[in-house]
Amino acid sequence: MSLSATPPPGARSDWTIPQAWDSYTAAEHGVWDTLFARQTAMLKGRVSDAFLHGLDVLRLSEAGIPDFGELSERLTALTGWQVVAVPGLVPDDVFFDHLANRRFVAGRFIRRPDQLDYLEEPDVFHDVFGHVPLLADPAFADYMQAYGAGGLRAIRFGALEKLARLYWYTVEFGLIRQRGDLKLYGAGIVSSFGESIFALDDTSPNRIAFDLERVMRTDYRIDDYQQSYFVIDSFEELRRQTADADFAPLYGQLEGQADIAPDAILPSDRVLNRGTQRHARDRPR
Ligand code: PHE
Ligand code: FE
Protein backbone atom coordinates (compact mmCIF):
# COMPACT_ATOMS: atom_id res chain seq x y z
CA MET A 1 0.00 0.00 0.00
CA SER A 2 1.24 3.52 -0.69
CA LEU A 3 1.83 5.77 2.27
CA SER A 4 -0.50 8.75 2.44
CA ALA A 5 1.43 11.76 3.69
CA THR A 6 4.96 13.08 3.25
CA PRO A 7 7.24 12.76 6.28
CA PRO A 8 8.52 15.99 7.85
CA PRO A 9 12.00 17.30 6.93
CA GLY A 10 14.74 15.21 8.54
CA ALA A 11 12.60 12.06 8.74
CA ARG A 12 13.10 9.01 6.52
CA SER A 13 10.41 7.89 4.07
CA ASP A 14 8.97 5.56 6.73
CA TRP A 15 8.75 8.55 9.11
CA THR A 16 11.52 7.29 11.41
CA ILE A 17 14.28 9.55 12.70
CA PRO A 18 17.56 8.79 14.48
CA GLN A 19 17.02 8.62 18.25
CA ALA A 20 20.28 10.58 18.66
CA TRP A 21 20.72 9.08 22.12
CA ASP A 22 23.99 10.98 22.66
CA SER A 23 22.20 14.31 22.50
CA TYR A 24 19.98 13.72 25.56
CA THR A 25 21.00 15.99 28.44
CA ALA A 26 21.66 14.81 31.99
CA ALA A 27 18.47 16.60 33.02
CA GLU A 28 16.47 14.63 30.45
CA HIS A 29 17.89 11.32 31.69
CA GLY A 30 17.04 12.55 35.17
CA VAL A 31 13.37 13.02 34.27
CA TRP A 32 13.26 9.40 33.04
CA ASP A 33 14.90 8.17 36.27
CA THR A 34 12.44 10.12 38.44
CA LEU A 35 9.43 8.81 36.52
CA PHE A 36 10.83 5.28 36.44
CA ALA A 37 11.44 5.15 40.20
CA ARG A 38 8.03 6.57 41.01
CA GLN A 39 6.09 4.27 38.66
CA THR A 40 7.89 1.04 39.50
CA ALA A 41 7.46 1.61 43.25
CA MET A 42 3.76 2.24 42.79
CA LEU A 43 3.15 -0.54 40.25
CA LYS A 44 4.49 -3.30 42.49
CA GLY A 45 1.56 -5.61 43.17
CA ARG A 46 -0.68 -3.64 40.78
CA VAL A 47 0.68 -4.46 37.35
CA SER A 48 0.58 -7.74 35.39
CA ASP A 49 3.41 -10.25 35.87
CA ALA A 50 4.14 -10.03 32.14
CA PHE A 51 4.88 -6.31 32.45
CA LEU A 52 7.29 -6.79 35.36
CA HIS A 53 8.95 -9.66 33.54
CA GLY A 54 9.39 -7.43 30.46
CA LEU A 55 10.98 -4.63 32.51
CA ASP A 56 13.38 -7.17 33.90
CA VAL A 57 14.43 -9.08 30.77
CA LEU A 58 14.76 -5.85 28.77
CA ARG A 59 16.82 -4.37 31.60
CA LEU A 60 14.75 -1.20 31.58
CA SER A 61 15.76 -0.44 35.16
CA GLU A 62 19.22 0.64 34.01
CA ALA A 63 19.62 4.38 34.55
CA GLY A 64 18.62 6.89 31.91
CA ILE A 65 16.49 6.99 28.79
CA PRO A 66 16.98 3.66 27.01
CA ASP A 67 19.03 3.51 23.83
CA PHE A 68 16.58 2.18 21.21
CA GLY A 69 19.35 0.25 19.45
CA GLU A 70 20.33 -1.71 22.57
CA LEU A 71 16.70 -2.16 23.57
CA SER A 72 15.84 -3.47 20.10
CA GLU A 73 18.66 -6.02 20.29
CA ARG A 74 17.23 -7.50 23.48
CA LEU A 75 13.69 -7.36 22.18
CA THR A 76 14.54 -8.89 18.81
CA ALA A 77 16.16 -11.84 20.56
CA LEU A 78 12.96 -12.43 22.55
CA THR A 79 10.08 -11.75 20.17
CA GLY A 80 11.48 -10.20 16.99
CA TRP A 81 10.30 -6.66 17.81
CA GLN A 82 12.28 -3.43 17.42
CA VAL A 83 11.78 0.08 18.77
CA VAL A 84 12.21 2.95 16.28
CA ALA A 85 12.07 6.72 16.85
CA VAL A 86 9.53 9.01 15.17
CA PRO A 87 9.09 12.79 15.41
CA GLY A 88 5.57 12.61 16.87
CA LEU A 89 2.22 11.17 15.83
CA VAL A 90 2.45 9.45 12.45
CA PRO A 91 -0.35 8.77 9.92
CA ASP A 92 -2.47 5.69 10.65
CA ASP A 93 -1.22 3.66 7.70
CA VAL A 94 2.41 4.37 8.61
CA PHE A 95 1.77 3.35 12.21
CA PHE A 96 0.02 0.12 11.19
CA ASP A 97 2.69 -0.76 8.66
CA HIS A 98 5.38 -0.51 11.35
CA LEU A 99 3.38 -2.67 13.77
CA ALA A 100 2.68 -5.24 11.07
CA ASN A 101 6.47 -5.54 10.68
CA ARG A 102 7.15 -5.75 14.41
CA ARG A 103 8.46 -2.23 14.72
CA PHE A 104 7.12 -0.16 17.58
CA VAL A 105 7.29 3.58 16.91
CA ALA A 106 8.26 5.72 19.88
CA GLY A 107 8.71 9.44 20.46
CA ARG A 108 12.32 10.40 21.26
CA PHE A 109 11.53 13.51 23.32
CA ILE A 110 10.87 13.44 27.06
CA ARG A 111 8.46 15.62 29.03
CA ARG A 112 9.71 18.60 31.02
CA PRO A 113 10.21 18.31 34.79
CA ASP A 114 7.01 20.36 35.35
CA GLN A 115 4.99 17.84 33.29
CA LEU A 116 5.64 14.70 35.31
CA ASP A 117 1.95 14.03 35.92
CA TYR A 118 0.38 14.93 32.64
CA LEU A 119 1.16 15.79 29.07
CA GLU A 120 -0.96 15.68 25.95
CA GLU A 121 1.40 14.03 23.50
CA PRO A 122 3.00 10.65 24.15
CA ASP A 123 6.69 11.02 25.02
CA VAL A 124 9.48 8.46 25.31
CA PHE A 125 8.43 7.55 28.86
CA HIS A 126 4.88 6.68 27.85
CA ASP A 127 5.98 4.96 24.65
CA VAL A 128 8.88 2.94 26.05
CA PHE A 129 8.05 2.38 29.72
CA GLY A 130 4.33 2.02 28.97
CA HIS A 131 4.36 -0.06 25.80
CA VAL A 132 7.64 -1.88 25.34
CA PRO A 133 7.74 -4.30 28.34
CA LEU A 134 4.73 -6.25 27.04
CA LEU A 135 6.35 -6.62 23.62
CA ALA A 136 8.62 -9.15 25.36
CA ASP A 137 5.54 -11.34 25.96
CA PRO A 138 5.06 -13.74 23.02
CA ALA A 139 1.24 -13.64 22.95
CA PHE A 140 1.05 -9.86 23.33
CA ALA A 141 3.81 -9.45 20.72
CA ASP A 142 1.72 -11.47 18.24
CA TYR A 143 -1.38 -9.46 19.09
CA MET A 144 0.37 -6.17 18.32
CA GLN A 145 1.71 -7.37 14.98
CA ALA A 146 -1.72 -8.71 13.99
CA TYR A 147 -3.27 -5.43 15.11
CA GLY A 148 -1.03 -3.60 12.62
CA ALA A 149 -2.07 -5.86 9.77
CA GLY A 150 -5.67 -5.54 10.96
CA GLY A 151 -5.36 -1.75 10.93
CA LEU A 152 -4.37 -1.69 7.26
CA ARG A 153 -7.35 -3.94 6.61
CA ALA A 154 -9.73 -1.79 8.69
CA ILE A 155 -8.78 1.25 6.59
CA ARG A 156 -9.97 -0.60 3.49
CA PHE A 157 -13.21 -1.57 5.25
CA GLY A 158 -13.81 1.97 6.55
CA ALA A 159 -13.85 0.48 10.05
CA LEU A 160 -10.91 2.26 11.65
CA GLU A 161 -12.99 3.94 14.35
CA LYS A 162 -14.16 0.52 15.55
CA LEU A 163 -10.70 -1.01 15.53
CA ALA A 164 -9.17 2.03 17.26
CA ARG A 165 -11.51 1.42 20.21
CA LEU A 166 -10.05 -2.05 20.58
CA TYR A 167 -6.55 -0.55 20.82
CA TRP A 168 -7.76 2.04 23.31
CA TYR A 169 -9.47 -0.41 25.65
CA THR A 170 -6.71 -3.03 25.51
CA VAL A 171 -3.25 -1.72 24.57
CA GLU A 172 -3.78 1.68 26.25
CA PHE A 173 -6.29 1.11 29.05
CA GLY A 174 -6.64 -2.64 29.52
CA LEU A 175 -6.95 -4.56 32.78
CA ILE A 176 -6.23 -8.27 33.16
CA ARG A 177 -7.37 -10.86 35.66
CA GLN A 178 -4.43 -12.73 37.10
CA ARG A 179 -5.02 -15.57 39.58
CA GLY A 180 -8.35 -13.97 40.46
CA ASP A 181 -7.00 -10.43 41.00
CA LEU A 182 -7.29 -7.43 38.71
CA LYS A 183 -3.98 -6.09 37.42
CA LEU A 184 -2.97 -3.27 35.10
CA TYR A 185 -1.45 -3.75 31.67
CA GLY A 186 -2.56 -0.84 29.42
CA ALA A 187 0.27 1.58 28.61
CA GLY A 188 -1.88 4.67 29.20
CA ILE A 189 -2.52 3.46 32.73
CA VAL A 190 0.89 2.11 33.69
CA SER A 191 2.70 5.26 32.55
CA SER A 192 0.33 7.47 34.58
CA PHE A 193 0.76 7.86 38.33
CA GLY A 194 -2.82 8.99 38.90
CA GLU A 195 -4.59 6.52 36.63
CA SER A 196 -2.58 3.55 37.95
CA ILE A 197 -4.35 4.08 41.26
CA PHE A 198 -7.70 5.19 39.85
CA ALA A 199 -8.11 2.30 37.39
CA LEU A 200 -7.61 -0.33 40.05
CA ASP A 201 -8.85 1.18 43.33
CA ASP A 202 -11.35 3.94 42.67
CA THR A 203 -15.07 3.20 42.99
CA SER A 204 -15.86 5.60 40.13
CA PRO A 205 -15.23 3.59 36.93
CA ASN A 206 -17.01 0.47 35.66
CA ARG A 207 -14.92 -2.67 35.29
CA ILE A 208 -16.48 -4.97 32.71
CA ALA A 209 -15.38 -8.35 31.31
CA PHE A 210 -13.86 -7.89 27.84
CA ASP A 211 -16.21 -8.54 24.94
CA LEU A 212 -14.81 -7.79 21.49
CA GLU A 213 -17.98 -6.55 19.83
CA ARG A 214 -19.01 -4.52 22.88
CA VAL A 215 -15.62 -2.80 23.05
CA MET A 216 -15.66 -1.94 19.34
CA ARG A 217 -18.97 -0.12 19.87
CA THR A 218 -17.82 1.87 22.92
CA ASP A 219 -16.79 5.54 22.70
CA TYR A 220 -13.90 6.69 24.85
CA ARG A 221 -12.71 9.86 26.54
CA ILE A 222 -9.35 11.31 25.74
CA ASP A 223 -9.57 14.19 28.24
CA ASP A 224 -9.90 12.36 31.55
CA TYR A 225 -9.53 9.00 33.29
CA GLN A 226 -11.68 6.29 31.71
CA GLN A 227 -15.26 5.71 32.85
CA SER A 228 -15.11 2.01 31.96
CA TYR A 229 -12.23 -0.45 31.89
CA PHE A 230 -12.44 -3.83 30.15
CA VAL A 231 -10.87 -6.88 31.73
CA ILE A 232 -9.25 -9.71 29.76
CA ASP A 233 -8.42 -13.16 31.17
CA SER A 234 -5.09 -13.62 29.39
CA PHE A 235 -3.10 -12.35 26.44
CA GLU A 236 -3.47 -15.77 24.78
CA GLU A 237 -7.25 -15.40 24.96
CA LEU A 238 -7.07 -11.84 23.58
CA ARG A 239 -4.91 -13.07 20.71
CA ARG A 240 -7.27 -15.95 20.01
CA GLN A 241 -10.30 -13.67 19.77
CA THR A 242 -8.60 -11.08 17.56
CA ALA A 243 -5.48 -12.17 15.68
CA ASP A 244 -6.98 -15.56 14.86
CA ALA A 245 -10.35 -14.12 13.78
CA ASP A 246 -11.61 -12.55 10.55
CA PHE A 247 -13.08 -9.14 11.39
CA ALA A 248 -14.76 -8.60 7.99
CA PRO A 249 -18.11 -10.11 9.03
CA LEU A 250 -17.88 -8.35 12.38
CA TYR A 251 -17.39 -4.94 10.71
CA GLY A 252 -20.49 -5.61 8.60
CA GLN A 253 -22.48 -6.54 11.67
CA LEU A 254 -21.33 -3.49 13.62
CA GLU A 255 -22.30 -1.06 10.89
CA GLY A 256 -25.95 -0.75 11.85
CA GLN A 257 -25.36 -0.72 15.58
CA ALA A 258 -25.46 2.32 17.85
CA ASP A 259 -22.36 3.47 19.69
CA ILE A 260 -22.23 2.91 23.45
CA ALA A 261 -21.44 5.80 25.83
CA PRO A 262 -18.19 5.47 27.84
CA ASP A 263 -20.04 5.13 31.16
CA ALA A 264 -22.92 2.89 30.01
CA ILE A 265 -23.63 -0.60 31.31
CA LEU A 266 -25.64 -2.99 29.12
CA PRO A 267 -27.85 -5.84 30.36
CA SER A 268 -25.55 -8.25 28.46
CA ASP A 269 -22.38 -6.99 30.23
CA ARG A 270 -20.53 -9.19 32.69
CA VAL A 271 -19.92 -6.45 35.24
CA LEU A 272 -17.10 -6.92 37.74
CA ASN A 273 -17.59 -3.50 39.38
CA ARG A 274 -20.43 -1.14 38.66
CA GLY A 275 -18.85 2.31 38.97
CA THR A 276 -20.36 5.24 40.84
CA GLN A 277 -19.11 7.59 38.07
CA ARG A 278 -18.51 10.05 40.91
CA HIS A 279 -15.22 11.21 39.40
CA ALA A 280 -16.86 12.10 36.09
CA ARG A 281 -19.61 14.06 37.86
CA ASP A 282 -17.06 15.98 39.94
CA ARG A 283 -15.11 17.12 36.92
CA PRO A 284 -16.14 20.20 34.96
CA ARG A 285 -16.86 19.28 31.34
N1 PHE B 1 -7.90 -10.45 12.62
C1 PHE B 1 -8.38 -9.09 12.46
C2 PHE B 1 -9.00 -8.90 11.06
O1 PHE B 1 -9.40 -9.82 10.42
C3 PHE B 1 -7.27 -8.10 12.69
C4 PHE B 1 -6.82 -7.92 14.10
C5 PHE B 1 -5.79 -8.66 14.66
C6 PHE B 1 -7.39 -6.96 14.88
C7 PHE B 1 -5.39 -8.46 15.96
C8 PHE B 1 -6.97 -6.75 16.17
C9 PHE B 1 -5.95 -7.48 16.70
O2 PHE B 1 -9.10 -7.79 10.59
FE1 FE C 1 0.33 4.78 23.79
Side-chain angles (χ1 to χ4, degrees):
M1 124 175 260
S2 65
L3 301 180
S4 54
T6 323
R12 306 176 186 107
S13 62
D14 67 355
W15 285 68
T16 63
I17 55 171
Q19 185 194 10
W21 188 86
D22 289 326
S23 54
Y24 287 121
T25 64
E28 287 175 322
H29 286 301
V31 170
W32 171 280
D33 291 342
T34 302
L35 288 166
F36 187 93
R38 187 174 78 158
Q39 278 317 97
T40 49
M42 199 265 299
L43 287 174
K44 210 168 285 170
R46 320 174 69 84
V47 76
S48 70
D49 288 345
F51 182 90
L52 291 175
H53 181 73
L55 281 184
D56 187 41
V57 291
L58 297 171
R59 286 191 261 145
L60 282 165
S61 61
E62 285 173 8
I65 299 168
D67 179 319
F68 293 179
E70 286 174 17
L71 185 56
S72 295
E73 262 175 50
R74 291 173 200 149
L75 201 49
T76 301
L78 294 162
T79 57
W81 275 80
Q82 283 173 265
V83 178
V84 293
V86 287
L89 291 179
V90 301
D92 292 329
D93 57 346
V94 175
F95 177 68
F96 293 138
D97 188 67
H98 280 297
L99 292 184
N101 290 287
R102 294 202 177 227
R103 288 187 301 267
F104 191 77
V105 297
R108 72 162 299 284
F109 82 96
I110 190 149
R111 67 196 74 184
R112 296 190 314 261
D114 62 315
Q115 298 172 309
L116 292 193
D117 290 317
Y118 185 76
L119 83 168
E120 269 166 29
E121 243 200 307
D123 70 342
V124 65
F125 186 75
H126 168 80
D127 284 338
V128 173
F129 180 87
H131 285 281
V132 172
L134 284 186
L135 293 174
D137 180 89
F140 192 85
D142 289 350
Y143 173 63
M144 287 292 278
Q145 176 185 4
Y147 187 92
L152 296 171
R153 198 158 178 249
I155 293 174
R156 296 196 295 273
F157 281 103
L160 202 47
E161 195 190 18
K162 305 280 188 299
L163 191 71
R165 290 168 175 161
L166 175 62
Y167 192 90
W168 189 265
Y169 283 119
T170 60
V171 178
E172 294 291 355
F173 293 98
L175 300 182
I176 187 166
R177 215 164 9 181
Q178 199 181 274
R179 297 183 291 276
D181 294 325
L182 291 191
K183 301 286 174 184
L184 312 171
Y185 77 87
I189 307 177
V190 303
S191 65
S192 156
F193 189 72
E195 195 150 2
S196 291
I197 297 166
F198 180 84
L200 216 51
D201 295 356
D202 208 280
T203 55
S204 183
N206 302 321
R207 298 180 188 85
I208 304 170
F210 178 84
D211 177 277
L212 178 62
E213 208 180 307
R214 199 303 187 188
V215 164
M216 297 220 286
R217 288 175 56 200
T218 309
D219 276 327
Y220 55 81
R221 316 188 46 161
I222 57 166
D223 60 335
D224 200 349
Y225 297 156
Q226 300 306 300
Q227 291 177 278
S228 295
Y229 297 95
F230 292 92
V231 183
I232 62 168
D233 284 320
S234 68
F235 296 128
E236 288 78 10
E237 179 58 20
L238 178 64
R239 173 177 60 186
R240 194 187 62 73
Q241 285 188 44
T242 55
D244 304 346
D246 177 7
F247 280 21
L250 186 52
Y251 292 146
Q253 217 171 294
L254 287 170
E255 235 165 73
Q257 301 203 37
D259 292 342
I260 302 169
D263 62 339
I265 290 196
L266 306 186
S268 52
D269 286 339
R270 197 150 60 80
V271 181
L272 308 179
N273 302 132
R274 178 179 292 266
T276 60
Q277 301 299 330
R278 197 182 205 330
H279 175 79
R281 276 198 301 274
D282 289 349
R283 298 279 281 217
R285 298 231 185 144

